[in-house]
Amino acid sequence: LELRAGDWWTARMKATRGQRARLRVGKGPWREIREVNAALGLYEAVMQVAIGEAFSAERVEYEVGGGWSALRVTGAALVSAPSRPPAVATVKSNAAGFASVKTGPANGFLLFPPPGARMLVTGREGGSLRVALGSNLSGWIDEHDVELSTGVAPPRAVTGNIGVSASSAGASVRVSLSERVAFLVEENEALDGLSLRIFSAVGHTNWVTYEGDSDFIDEVRWRQEATDIVAVTVRLKPGRRLWGWNAHYDAGSLKLDLRRQPRLLPAGPLAGLKVMLDPGHMPSETGATGPLGTREMDANYAIAQSLAEILARDGAVVLVTRSSPTDEVSLVDRPRQAVDRGADLFVSLHNNAL
């Protein structure tokens, strides 16, 4: 566990009930640890790393009782509070095209920074690194997904001008940025716009330009939401609804592609619509097994084949992630295929065993 000044951390132990107890990190000063559950003999200490406090990776030593009968034991975990400047993590290139930042080690997903995005490392727990996104927001990323650099300047992206342009699928918003950093895109609940938050960034945008007439985007605004967060808001024209979006870095800009709802013909609403069917599972991960031994992988594939015929008869352009029963397609590659092949709909097919 790697901590920084100001961090709170908790140490717990289970021991004989009703005893005086204390702990220390390495050969540091002893600190009292109080009993928080007398029935179970649970002891706990909540501590904060003081400004200027630093210690190398050490184990926590616990003591129960006092005098000659005191019992001491050393924990297995290493705790440190280094004084060196924090490292900078840069997301590595990978097949997925992004990494995962979570709300905590092994917790839920928070955002998905692309390769090249830089984040300041402010702590560690095992193989997970805590990274700063804003002054009051942190996330956790697997150390295997990044390259660590020391002695370099922390990330600080500066926004330039913002350009808005129409496209055949909807519209694009391009934000000029001095370097690649993490960002988060969130749609409005009514799907009439979205917000783009750029972390470790400061705004220096003088112009928002609109190229040509757009019947999709009404207005784009930006503001310095916090000291190190720039927020860009996109509002659609009245009556327009967002069908989908894709954000990626393109040269020195962060590009946000917005898609409008496909135009459906009353006489043939599926005509020309690209539908990506994703029969779940594969030979290395067959899924559930039914009472007669039917594998979910095979049932999903059979349903996809039948559904493809029905959709094709109605004029849809059918795409599939697994084109044969033996295809191995990773979870990351499935939605990636839909994006790369311009699908309008992505339908994931699964079954449960009862």
Side-chain angles (χ1 to χ4, degrees):
L1 180 64
E2 183 179 303
L3 306 165
R4 292 281 170 177
D7 283 347
W8 291 90
W9 64 289
T10 303
R12 297 184 180 92
M13 72 172 181
K14 187 173 183 180
T16 305
R17 293 175 291 176
Q19 299 294 309
R20 175 178 177 269
R22 57 182 187 164
L23 62 79
R24 65 178 178 179
V25 179
K27 298 301 180 183
W30 287 99
R31 310 184 193 200
E32 295 297 318
I33 178 170
R34 64 189 183 90
E35 190 173 19
V36 294
N37 190 320
L40 298 177
L42 296 180
Y43 295 77
E44 180 181 278
V46 179
M47 298 154 284
Q48 185 179 31
V49 180
I51 301 299
E53 182 181 6
F55 48 88
S56 58
E58 300 280 1
R59 301 187 189 278
V60 179
E61 185 178 9
Y62 301 88
E63 181 184 87
V64 178
W68 63 269
S69 62
L71 176 64
R72 292 182 181 179
V73 64
T74 302
L78 293 172
V79 182
S80 67
S83 58
R84 65 179 183 275
V88 172
T90 303
V91 177
K92 297 178 182 177
S93 295
N94 54 55
F98 59 84
S100 300
V101 172
K102 300 182 177 181
T103 57
N107 280 6
F109 295 110
L110 180 60
L111 52 86
F112 305 92
R118 302 173 70 236
M119 295 165 285
L120 192 68
V121 179
T122 60
R124 170 192 289 269
E125 184 174 321
S128 295
L129 303 174
R130 186 180 62 192
V131 291
L133 300 172
S135 12
N136 296 310
L137 180 64
S138 295
W140 294 79
I141 192 168
D142 193 307
E143 66 175 334
H144 298 300
D145 291 335
V146 298
E147 293 179 354
L148 294 178
S149 303
T150 55
V152 298
R156 184 180 182 272
V158 180
T159 66
N161 292 337
I162 300 174
V164 183
S165 59
S167 68
S168 58
S172 296
V173 178
R174 186 183 290 268
V175 183
S176 176
L177 273 179
S178 61
E179 66 172 287
R180 295 189 177 191
V181 289
F183 59 85
L184 177 66
V185 180
E186 294 179 302
E187 312 93 344
N188 295 352
E189 186 174 347
L191 297 180
D192 57 356
L194 52 73
S195 299
L196 165 67
R197 285 178 174 81
I198 307 171
F199 301 108
S200 302
V202 61
H204 189 64
T205 298
N206 293 319
W207 299 97
V208 178
T209 60
Y210 299 82
E211 302 173 17
D213 295 327
S214 172
D215 65 348
F216 194 50
I217 290 182
D218 188 33
E219 185 181 44
V220 175
R221 289 176 174 265
W222 79 274
R223 70 183 187 280
Q224 191 75 45
E225 188 175 71
T227 304
D228 43 12
I229 301 177
V230 171
V232 178
T233 56
V234 181
R235 189 178 71 214
L236 303 185
K237 296 277 189 181
R240 298 298 186 188
R241 292 295 179 268
L242 186 66
W243 185 258
W245 57 266
N246 182 35
H248 59 280
Y249 278 103
D250 183 15
S253 298
L254 176 55
K255 188 180 180 186
L256 183 60
D257 295 321
L258 284 69
R259 294 187 65 177
R260 62 160 59 90
Q261 182 177 344
R263 292 181 171 87
L264 306 179
L265 302 175
L270 294 180
L273 199 69
K274 289 186 178 180
V275 182
M276 173 71 80
L277 300 180
D278 174 35
H281 298 284
M282 51 189 167
S284 63
E285 184 65 42
T286 58
T289 302
L292 300 179
T294 303
R295 299 180 301 179
E296 183 185 354
M297 173 190 78
D298 300 323
N300 296 339
Y301 185 80
I303 292 172
Q305 294 296 102
S306 298
L307 182 55
E309 294 178 4
I310 296 172
L311 293 172
R313 282 200 302 267
D314 287 340
V317 178
V318 182
L319 311 170
V320 292
T321 56
R322 283 203 294 132
S323 55
S324 78
T326 58
D327 279 354
E328 290 280 337
V329 185
S330 71
L331 288 175
V332 169
D333 286 339
R334 293 168 190 254
R336 174 64 57 192
Q337 286 191 41
V339 172
D340 293 343
R341 299 169 74 178
D344 297 303
L345 287 173
F346 180 83
V347 182
S348 184
L349 301 170
H350 285 267
N351 284 274
N352 293 325
L354 301 177

